[in-house]
Amino acid sequence: MFGNRVPHMLDNDYTPYSAVDIFVKDLGIVNNEGSVLSLPLNLSAVAHQQFLAGSASGWGRLDDAAVVKVFDFLFNNRLYDPNLVYMYRSTLDYTTLGCFICITDLLLHFLFIVYEKLTGVTVEGKHAILKKEKVLNSLPPEWPEDPIVEIKKLEGHNTSKVLVVLDDDPTGTQTVHDIEVLTEWSVDSLVQQFLKRPSCFFILTNSRSLSSEKAYGLTEEICRNIDTAAKSVGDVDFSVVLRGDSTLRGHFPQEPDAAVSVLGEMDAWIICPFFLQGGRYTINNIHYVADSDSLVPAGDTEFSKDAAFGYKASNLCEWVEEKTRGQISASSVASISIQLLRKGGPSAVCEHLCSLPKGSVCIVNAASDRDVAVFAAGMIQAEMKGKCFLCRTAASFVSARIGIKPSLPSPQIIYLESFLKLGILGLKSKLGHVIKCIEVSVDKLSMSSSEVREEEIRHAAESASSYLRLGKDTLLMTSRELIKGKTPSESLEINFKVSSALVEIVRRINVRPRYIIAKGGITSSDLATKALEAHRAQVVGPESRYPGIPYIVFPGNVGDDNSLAEVVQKWSHPPLKSSTKELLVNAEKSGYAVGAFNVYNLEGVEAVIAAAEAEKSPAILQVHPGALKLGGHPLVACCIYAAERASVPIAVQFDHGSSQQELLEALELGFNSIMVDGSHLPFEENISFTKHISSLAHASNIMVEAELGRLSGTEDDLTVEDYEARLTDMTQAEKFIDETGIDALAVCIGNVHGKYPASGPNLRLDLLKDLHELASKKGIALVLHGASGLPEELIKECTGAGVRKFNVNTEVRNAYLESLRKPSKDLVHVMSSVKDAMKASSWRRCASSAPPVGLDYLPQLVTFLFPSTACIAIYFIGRKQETMNPP
């Protein structure tokens, strides 16, 4: 039994040949007979307890070798501590438990001794699970100087090599920003890249989804093109980094071998899998994965059981020997210790690297970002002395090498989760009540007929489109069963079938989502390059089917069960739901104006938002007292609902409230802002009236706009005669602003409500500039009513002179009424026609004043990280009209 079972224990191979439950039965018979004969059977009794514990833990149908899981539990959870609760179902007092654990310890030791005697094979002990805090506190203090400062100086003087990062999935960019990413690598593209003289750029290879042979060929091709492009440009020196998984999965040594076959032998291969955000540490050459407050040797984690890239060694020297199948022995692998990094600094690193025999492999130990930065600075010093290195690293090395400090953590989605379950349970438990879930069967996508596969893809795409069209957050995920091939290549083929199916599902979705979160590296790469057709990125923007959509890559192997839910919650309630004040503050910062459009029904609401989305411009929906009287609360609710689900910032304002009763009612209806119109009152009464309403509104965080001066003209059956109109007075304006505490001032500079006279508008732009100077000093925004009928050039002049909000009513109303005069066969045709007419009118005004490209709020959302995870946000800001679906 020892000769047969112990290898299974060491390999974690629990393919059932027998079963734990069988041993529960058989050892129970043995112990019963011993009891009848009064014969003490100590080992059998203890073994029986172990198999009972294994069965009670749910492993009864696994091979009997799975009893070793009980020992793993005992030792990993430190049940020697009497304060911990013993999990097994058998009830034992502490004395019995203490004896029991001592005997099991002896029994395990005895098993391994007997196995060694019988087979002649030495059983190596597993590396212990360590307490993270205790280990990190035991290390020497970090190197006192920040090497990033020196690295930045070298980069600024172009004295270091261009770093070309071959990224085997998109998660490698999670520690950098303002770096270009290529998804194609033609010589021409690479020449253009080198001509920019960047410090670094990425090439997204997605090679981890390929077989070893294809990955070798791909790496060889890319390195050849890099070398050709660099020679073509001339005076360009570069260094290649093979950015791989921080849990050691990937094509090693095939990819380094391919690079060397083109670029020539290197002085050393550098291996640095440290990645702080993912909880990956290398200490004493052993690579650890943080799990809560523990450090688990990488070889004992689920990542090491990967069907295509599995491994056993946690010691990186032994890992190199294992992956190279003995071609590079563990004893020949060099390393840079944490002690050297923290006591010797960059110069010691440089000296050590320069002393290595040519063609060496060197492990980099690291337990902090400072450690990696110290190594990077030392490596640059060695490169300046003529040394050449090929690096295989995780994401942290790249940011350190180019002098970037790691970033700190910062309703419609399509979320895709394809392999690891990490985070999915937390997401569904936290947000399951608000997210529509579509689960596609891995078995149907990878193991069934083409007809079954096609039906699964079609159903998922149609369901996703329907949910998105309804404004529902949508979770698209693969089923939980794990299907593995008989060989690594078969497993990769299964992965490819699943990934390509997800690509096809997203490709077929015919509704523009607001943003996309993709979990897992290979999946996110295929989605970006194949489904969304991205060709180039700035780690803030590739060309895409959906320009302007944030694409967030959530690495598959980081975070805890709640991390993904936290990210989705952030994006489900993003800053796009802006208040009127935020819109006007952003407009003042960037020198544009926001259009405010009066709406009366659903068609008007949809028309304004569609126009704003088409222009990628913020806008404001305004409800006049007359419209509120007819449309009531449902009209306001419609505006708020539509604003919250728009893909651009939309605010909702109550317009021209001239009585206290209607303004107090408006404060309770959910408006972002109100317009207090006391312009019909004497100046002092206007101040008193506006101040009172303003204090009530601000208590509810509602912005207040007020009017000083009086516009002539007619709006919603309210007429102000020419003799009643008056321009805004500068002296009164200052007093009015100071005493009322308003946020925005509607001014009268010759503008009118309704139609302008035949002679055209006569605006006092000189007065407007003076008012803007005053408004800027007081920190408020200027508003121009009566923009209907103003020429586009005049609106631009007013915007240049300081207007940050302009009102449009008559123009949109006239478009509505004119459309009604056209004969239509059915009511739905009438509704469609008036909506298109109002949209066209609104679009012209959005286009005349909005920022030309993008919006101020975009940079606020670009990149953010959470303490336990890392995400990359990429903005698709390029345009590719021939493939872009209409919004």
Side-chain angles (χ1 to χ4, degrees), residues 180-228:
E180 291 210 46
V181 181
L182 305 182
T183 60
E184 61 90 23
W185 40 84
S186 65
V187 173
D188 288 343
S189 294
L190 292 168
V191 166
Q192 293 302 313
Q193 203 64 30
F194 279 125
L195 286 172
K196 297 176 183 178
R197 305 290 175 175
S199 60
C200 169
F201 65 89
F202 279 70
I203 298 175
L204 179 56
T205 69
N206 206 28
S207 60
R208 210 186 307 166
S209 65
L210 306 176
S211 66
S212 294
E213 294 76 15
K214 290 181 179 178
Y216 183 98
L218 179 65
T219 304
E220 190 178 42
E221 175 194 344
I222 293 173
C223 287
R224 186 177 296 111
N225 288 1
I226 292 171
D227 190 51
T228 301

Side-chain angles (χ1 to χ4, degrees), residues 566-765:
E566 291 170 359
V567 174
V568 173
Q569 276 186 310
K570 283 274 188 178
W571 287 82
S572 293
H573 305 282
L576 296 181
K577 185 181 174 182
S578 297
S579 69
T580 310
K581 188 167 185 177
E582 287 171 341
L583 298 191
L584 299 187
V585 167
N586 288 336
E588 179 63 31
K589 287 179 181 177
S590 300
Y592 60 87
V594 179
F597 303 87
N598 286 73
V599 293
Y600 299 82
N601 53 20
L602 175 63
E603 291 81 15
V605 172
E606 290 184 335
V608 171
I609 290 180
E613 289 180 331
E615 261 317 296
K616 294 184 174 55
S617 169
I620 299 170
L621 299 172
Q622 293 196 147
V623 179
H624 194 277
L628 180 59
K629 184 177 179 180
L630 293 174
H633 295 188
L635 175 60
V636 181
C638 174
C639 292
I640 294 172
Y641 183 90
E644 289 177 349
R645 282 152 184 79
S647 62
V648 294
I650 303 290
V652 184
Q653 175 167 310
F654 180 61
D655 189 32
H656 281 287
S658 57
S659 76
Q660 180 168 303
Q661 181 180 344
E662 61 191 18
L663 285 164
L664 292 179
E665 181 182 356
L667 291 176
E668 302 300 323
L669 293 181
F671 286 104
N672 298 117
S673 53
I674 59 173
M675 191 264 167
V676 182
D677 187 359
S679 61
H680 58 289
L681 300 171
F683 179 63
E684 294 297 336
E685 289 183 32
N686 190 358
I687 288 178
S688 178
F689 175 62
T690 304
K691 180 180 180 180
H692 173 63
I693 299 298
S694 182
S695 64
L696 296 175
H698 287 158
S700 300
N701 200 29
I702 295 174
M703 194 206 87
V704 176
E705 173 190 331
E707 187 171 1
L708 190 61
R710 200 163 193 212
L711 274 65
S712 64
T714 300
E715 183 174 37
D716 286 351
D717 282 341
L718 298 175
T719 300
V720 177
E721 300 297 341
D722 289 344
Y723 65 85
E724 293 179 290
R726 56 184 177 274
L727 299 183
T728 301
D729 179 85
M730 283 289 298
T731 304
Q732 287 186 341
E734 184 166 11
K735 182 179 180 181
F736 189 78
I737 295 168
D738 289 339
E739 295 193 20
T740 60
I742 59 171
D743 306 288
L745 179 65
V747 297
C748 180
I749 57 168
N751 43 315
V752 302
H753 285 137
K755 290 185 177 181
Y756 282 89
S759 59
N762 181 24
L763 303 188
R764 287 276 309 278
L765 295 180

Side-chain angles (χ1 to χ4, degrees), residues 269-281:
W269 290 3
I270 304 298
I271 298 177
C272 181
F274 167 83
F275 178 39
L276 181 66
Q277 288 88 344
R280 319 294 190 238
Y281 301 84

Side-chain angles (χ1 to χ4, degrees), residues 554-570:
F554 191 107
N557 58 0
V558 299
D560 56 26
D561 279 347
N562 293 319
S563 300
L564 181 59
E566 291 170 359
V567 174
V568 173
Q569 276 186 310
K570 283 274 188 178

